[in-house]
Amino acid sequence: MKLADNKATMSFSNGAPSVDLPVYQGSVGPDVIDIRKLYAQTGMFTYDPGFLSTASCQSAITYIDGDKGELLYRGYPIEQLAVNCDFMETCHLLLYGNLPNEAGKAEFTKRVSNHTMVNEQMQFFLRGFRRDAHPMAIMTGLVGALSAFYHDSTDINNPEHREISAIRLIAKMPTLVAMAYKYSAGQPYMYPKNNLSYAGNFMHMMFATPCEDYVVNPVIERALDRIFILHADHEQNASTSTVRLCGSSGTNPFAAIAAGVACLWGPSHGGANEACLNMLEDIQKMGGVAKVGEFMNQVKDKNSGVKLMGFGHRVYKNYDPRAKLMQETCKEVLTALGLENDPLFKLAMALEKIALEDDYFVQRKLYPNVDFYSGIVQRAIGIPVSLFTAIFSLARTVGWIAQLNEMIGDPEYKIGRPRQLFTGSVKRDVLPIAQR
Ligand code: CMC
């Protein structure tokens, strides 16, 4: 961290002495005021529920300029990565900080492929779930359970353990997601095929059966790979912060990533892709494009509790660049599958058009986010709606693990332990039960 030329001075109207606070500069983005010594100096905490103005860590992985609508992984624009790289290169970039050359990519891909199988015992663990269990309930359990199977990579303070658990998690997530799907469909699990690409292998495990040969459709393979790239990391979002906080206690990497999966599930975060598709289907049932105006009135009515899912973002106050790429991918996939007239895509475009012109959305700077179009692509590919967030978790795993490893390697890292403004009862005595 680099000290800025200026410092911040905090003064108090009650005559208490003012304090100087150091200011640090990042390579780009807002400066930060270092308040770590504030409590020692003033006896006061800062108050920022929801982290509206608080940087929880320093990080060199992902940068978002929310006003410009810019997303960089290790400095590279997401638009360039999505077009020129594949998911394995993106994983290498996020984990190690650089894009691999041919040999480096082949070596990394082989290392990941070597770990695609899961312990055979895992399927018996899965069998304990109801067939209609939500895939994210299953994933939260399965990812946490990995720590019971891979004892040789659970020491978060050991760099070798961190490396092997990173590779294992990236390699095994597609296998676990596909197993969760096959279990719900009552079909046999398909073992991974390591001669296929990361996305191709996932399609094979999802859609192949032992009865017939399965041929990977290259358009869908590329689309899935792009979905993975677009979801790979997003700096200090709720699930990543959860992974960091969970990992800060020194727990094992599988447990920390399971915490991230659990957080991602919520509809304000990764669960928005499922919620968005359900919303589109509901509007379609109500009458489709003709009912868009009526639906928008509900969204704008604060008492209705209805939100336009797939819209709005804490950081982006402009079009989410991932949503633009996702919309393009959506068009490509629908065209390749002969679904150009997909009613939900038309509906989504109509909603977007109205929202981008409507004062409510314009004033609040609400734009489509990554979840707005991703569900339509996934549905066209044949992925069930309830599996969407599990696929998000598969893709985000590399980001989580890169951020976790960055935190453990940071000399400034401490267990995460927020403070509070206590508003409950002051000390009082317990009365005997007959007198209460
Ligand atoms: N529909 C209608 N109104 C909205 C929406 C929406 N989708 N999003 C925000 N608003 C309104 C909100 O009611 C508030 O209005 P007012 O100022 O009158 O009270 C204003 O816009 C600011 O919103 P906020 O709730 O203070 O913003 P936030 O930063 O706390 O929340 C968000 C961000 C993503 C949780 C929220 O925009 C949202 O719930 N969106 C829908 C769910 C969604 O698509 N989530 C995916 C996020 S991107 C991918 C990911 O993280 O996984």
Side-chain angles (χ1 to χ4, degrees), residues 44-66:
M44 276 189 256
F45 300 139
T46 56
Y47 181 65
D48 187 16
F51 297 93
L52 295 177
S53 299
T54 297
S56 61
C57 62
Q58 55 173 325
S59 180
I61 301 176
T62 293
Y63 175 73
I64 305 173
D65 185 324

Side-chain angles (χ1 to χ4, degrees), residues 4-27:
D5 296 335
N6 61 334
K7 58 182 191 289
T9 303
M10 194 181 267
S11 58
F12 304 91
S13 57
N14 64 358
S18 62
V19 285
D20 285 341
L21 299 164
V23 174
Y24 294 109
Q25 278 178 336
S27 39

Side-chain angles (χ1 to χ4, degrees), residues 268-270 302 307-308 310-311 313-314 360 364 369 371:
S268 294
H269 193 7
K302 290 282 175 197
K307 274 192 169 175
L308 181 55
F311 254 72
H313 199 274
R314 171 64 61 78
Y360 175 96
R364 291 171 178 78
N369 60 51
D371 293 315

Side-chain angles (χ1 to χ4, degrees), residues 52 234 237 264 266-273 299-300 302 306-315 317 320 322 360-361 364 366 369-372 392 396:
L52 295 177
H234 214 227
N237 57 84
L264 188 76
S268 294
H269 193 7
N273 52 16
V299 170
K300 291 189 279 181
K302 290 282 175 197
V306 178
K307 274 192 169 175
L308 181 55
M309 299 312 285
F311 254 72
H313 199 274
R314 171 64 61 78
V315 185
K317 299 301 163 202
D320 177 342
R322 302 169 303 169
Y360 175 96
F361 293 89
R364 291 171 178 78
L366 300 171
N369 60 51
V370 69
D371 293 315
F372 195 63
F392 191 157
R396 182 56 58 85

